[in-house]
């Protein structure tokens, strides 16, 4: 029988290992290959029983009950459960009043679904750069991009850190346009006591199985501030005959997972703090920046490198990052890039075929730009100098894994000579010079 149960426990850290030879150079790995898998979501008997009992109810009742429970948790006015995160973003835009040919401002750094949802709403995405500390949409860049045809600003709470909502809300209000959140990374993320998904006029959120709040397979949910926005989205589905409905199986699984979400949140926060403390002691690595009053959900954990702190400032930072990436992976840390080029430089937004004959871009050709990566210098700098842990801080029973990740970063940072050798002997390229990829 296939099982997710580990064959044996991960050993507790041994301080001597951080001074041993790097795994990439023949030493032992901090995390052995056979123990590198993390398991999530955790499936319990409660999940199974809930799925079985849900078969007695009408499917639409199961979905409606889940949506209401999660809407209450988030604190949004209205909710509309959907089949995916992209469909939830589409409906959030429609509910906010976005019309064909309108302009929607989105960040150049996000998952491609943010911009694809704008196109699905028959509008034109207008891309802007990000803040150099939060990696979320830069409010000043958004302000500079507003025109007479801008209908909405769509910040992304990237990796689970809420964007600068107060500044963006003020900007939207001053121009009479909508604020639509992409909260797909931001389950339980907060500013003060307010939860992401309830900040804007509308919001979309992915609930797929690899998110911090997972449903059974694919799923999403759109939130709306008022009844008129919610009704606008409902009418749109009926008018166009679109089935974006959530599966009752996904909803039933999500209903029991929702009860454990606060527990998962605490585990991630604990592990993020533990790892952050270790990173700051290395000189080379730095934890994600979190503004005061913000609660980071840590759907992903983006780590910044400062090579000059360990005597590598003469080397290109992107090359140091690539070498460090190789060393970390050899130690058993599943670090990765997660995006390597700005979203407007991906094929759908370079060729702009849209729905055919350039639609909907042809509705507003003045909003269309032929972007180069260099148009977004902050995004490029971030991609050059950061690595990501995607889902590895949330396994609730593996405190020792977080400790071992910390030791692996410490071990690598202690070997600037090895990093320099890899950079000198290698032929590394900047991330955007490689084939564009997602995730």
């Amino acid at each position: 029988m296939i099982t997710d149960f580990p064959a044996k426990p991960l050993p507790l850290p041994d301080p001597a290992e951080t001074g041993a030879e790097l795994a990439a150079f023949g030493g032992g790995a901090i995390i052995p290959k056979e123990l590198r898998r993390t398991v999530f979501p955790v499936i319990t008997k409660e999940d199974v029983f809930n799925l079985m009992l849900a078969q007695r109810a009408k499917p639409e009742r199961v979905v409606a009950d889940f949506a209401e429970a999660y809407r209450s948790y988030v604190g949004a006015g209205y909710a509309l459960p959907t089949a995916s995160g992209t469909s939830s973003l589409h409906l959030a835009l429609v509910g906010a009043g976005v019309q064909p040919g309108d302009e929607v401002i989105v960040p150049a750094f996000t998952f491609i679904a943010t911009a694809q949802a704008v196109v699905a709403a028959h509008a034109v995405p207008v891309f802007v750069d990000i803040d150099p500390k939060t990696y979320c949409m830069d409010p000043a860049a958004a302000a500079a991009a507003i025109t007479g045809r801008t209908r909405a600003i769509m910040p992304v709470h990237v990796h689970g850190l809420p964007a600068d909502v107060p500044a963006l809300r003020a900007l939207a209000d001053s121009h009479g346009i909508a604020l639509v959140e992409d909260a797909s990374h931001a389950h339980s993320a907060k500013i003060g006591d307010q939860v992401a998904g309830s900040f804007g006029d509308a919001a979309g959120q992915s609930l797929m199985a690899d998110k911090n709040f997972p449903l059974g397979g694919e799923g999403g949910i759109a939130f709306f501030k008022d009844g008129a926005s919610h009704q606008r989205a409902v009418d749109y589905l009926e008018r166009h005959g679109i089935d974006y409905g959530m599966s009752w199986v996904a909803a039933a699984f999500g209903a029991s997972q929702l009860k454990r979400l606060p527990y998962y949140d605490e585990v991630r926060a604990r592990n993020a703090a533990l790892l952050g403390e270790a990173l700051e002691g290395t000189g080379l690595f730095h934890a994600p920046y979190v503004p005061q009053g913000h609660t980071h959900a840590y759907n992903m954990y983006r780590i910044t490198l400062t090579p000059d702190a360990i005597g590598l400032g003469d080397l290109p930072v992107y090359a140091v990052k690539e070498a460090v990436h190789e060393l970390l992976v050899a130690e058993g840390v599943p670090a990765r890039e997660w995006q390597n080029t700005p979203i407007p430089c991906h094929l759908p937004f370079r060729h702009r075929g849209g729905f055919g004959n350039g639609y909907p871009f042809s509705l507003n050709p003045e909003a269309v730009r032929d972007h180069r990566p260099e148009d977004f210098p902050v995004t490029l700098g971030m991609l050059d100098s950061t690595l990501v842990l995607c889902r590895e801080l949330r396994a609730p029973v593996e405190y020792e894994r977080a400790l071992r990740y910390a030791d692996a970063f410490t071990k690598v940072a202690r070997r600037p000579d090895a990093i320099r050798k890899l950079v000198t002997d290698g032929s590394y390229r900047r991330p955007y010079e490689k084939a564009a990829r997602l995730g």
Side-chain angles (χ1 to χ4, degrees), residues 130-147:
I130 58 175
D131 179 90
K133 296 177 73 176
T134 66
Y135 306 141
C136 297
M137 178 185 287
D138 179 0
I146 292 176
T147 73

Side-chain angles (χ1 to χ4, degrees), residues 12-13 30 271 274 398-408:
L12 290 172
I30 292 289
N271 289 348
L274 182 156
E398 293 194 310
Y399 178 66
E400 61 270 30
R401 186 174 297 273
L403 294 173
R404 284 196 160 261
Y405 286 158
D407 280 356

Side-chain angles (χ1 to χ4, degrees), residues 206-364:
S206 171
L207 299 173
M208 69 178 296
D210 74 341
K211 293 295 191 291
N212 287 344
F213 177 31
L215 269 61
E218 280 283 357
I221 193 163
F223 296 115
F224 305 92
K225 183 177 181 179
D226 56 49
S229 298
H230 174 260
Q231 191 60 48
R232 193 180 294 119
V234 171
D235 291 345
Y236 180 90
L237 292 175
E238 293 179 355
R239 185 166 64 253
H240 293 279
I242 298 173
D243 182 5
Y244 274 167
M246 177 182 286
S247 161
W248 72 266
V249 175
F253 184 75
S256 52
Q257 288 283 319
L258 179 57
K259 296 176 183 178
R260 298 199 295 277
L261 181 56
Y263 170 73
Y264 294 148
D265 294 340
E266 287 193 29
V267 168
R268 287 194 313 279
R270 178 203 69 184
N271 289 348
L274 182 156
L275 183 57
E277 183 177 356
L279 293 177
E280 296 306 323
T282 67
L284 175 61
F285 301 110
H286 302 279
Y289 169 75
V290 182
Q292 187 173 5
H294 285 54
T295 298
H296 200 315
Y298 297 111
N299 183 73
M300 299 185 190
Y301 190 93
R302 185 166 289 273
I303 297 162
T304 302
L305 280 68
T306 52
D308 57 320
I310 59 169
L312 300 177
D314 59 308
L315 301 176
V317 64
Y318 66 86
V320 172
K321 184 201 77 169
E322 291 281 3
V324 164
H325 184 201
E326 292 179 17
L327 296 175
L328 287 170
V329 169
E331 297 294 340
V333 177
R336 57 192 291 194
E337 283 186 324
W338 198 82
Q339 311 298 332
N340 69 341
T341 196
I343 291 300
C345 300
H346 284 257
L347 290 177
F349 304 105
R350 288 172 52 200
H351 297 303
R352 296 186 293 276
F355 292 95
N357 296 321
Y359 182 89
F361 301 98
S362 57
L363 297 175
N364 186 356

